[in-house]
Amino acid sequence: DININKNMADIALKNLIVQGSSIVASQNKGTLTLSNITVEKPTDTGIDISVHVGDVELEDVTVEYGEKAGAVIDNTAGLKAGNVRVTSSDFLGNSRDGLRIVTRGKVSIDDVEARRNGGDGAEIINEGKFSSVTITNSSFTGNGFSKPTKDPAYYGLEINS
């Protein structure tokens, strides 16, 4: 795994291929940017961002065939709402949600594909109050092949407030 923990400055990861492992970022502050990243066959959640204070940006990211979710982003740790932007990214064949975002800030999704994931293609959860959600040029198809008894309904795109 690639672990990024307890940093107090902006962080950028670029031009990486991760095979059979995950990118885990926890308890960081500042803008976290992942660009031109491919995560193939992770044994856990492919990209797991939690307890984050600040903006999160994923650009040209692919997470495919993970044993859990493709990417989980939770930037609700701070008092100030951080924004989440996901562009030109693909979440394919993961066992749970392709993309899961928990935030109080603005959400922008553009040119994103979430296909054949076991849970929702993309799930956006409002933790408090969204500033806005904007989704353009994106598709969420063939998701929801896994149906646990707890929640038998999965969607291509689900927005909860």
Side-chain angles (χ1 to χ4, degrees):
D1 287 351
I2 296 173
N3 292 299
I4 305 165
N5 298 311
K6 299 181 182 176
N7 289 289
M8 304 295 275
D10 294 346
I11 301 165
L13 292 180
K14 298 180 180 183
N15 306 320
L16 297 174
I17 297 174
V18 179
Q19 297 176 321
S21 295
S22 301
I23 297 173
V24 178
S26 181
Q27 301 179 38
N28 296 296
K29 293 183 179 181
T31 299
L32 175 61
T33 304
L34 305 180
S35 61
N36 195 25
I37 305 282
T38 299
V39 181
E40 300 171 340
K41 298 182 181 178
T43 57
D44 206 323
T45 296
I47 297 172
D48 189 354
I49 300 168
S50 63
V51 196
H52 188 80
V53 178
D55 295 342
V56 177
E57 301 178 358
L58 273 60
E59 182 178 1
D60 194 22
V61 168
T62 299
V63 183
E64 55 189 14
Y65 305 110
E67 291 185 18
K68 293 189 179 177
V72 175
I73 300 167
D74 184 337
N75 69 338
T76 60
L79 296 175
K80 182 182 173 194
N83 300 318
V84 177
R85 184 175 62 86
V86 182
T87 57
S88 303
S89 296
D90 193 15
F91 305 92
L92 169 64
N94 298 289
S95 294
R96 297 188 185 164
D97 292 347
L99 173 64
R100 186 171 198 257
I101 299 170
V102 182
T103 190
R104 292 188 307 264
K106 293 179 183 178
V107 176
S108 175
I109 295 176
D110 181 48
D111 190 27
V112 168
E113 287 191 56
R115 300 174 283 137
R116 298 192 314 259
N117 295 289
D120 294 320
E123 180 178 17
I124 303 169
I125 299 171
N126 175 4
E127 193 65 38
K129 182 180 177 184
F130 287 130
S131 296
S132 67
V133 176
T134 304
I135 300 170
T136 54
N137 304 315
S138 298
S139 66
F140 310 91
T141 57
N143 296 289
F145 63 78
S146 174
K147 296 190 184 283
T149 57
K150 183 175 120 179
D151 183 4
Y154 288 117
Y155 305 95
L157 173 64
E158 182 175 8
I159 301 173
N160 292 310
S161 59

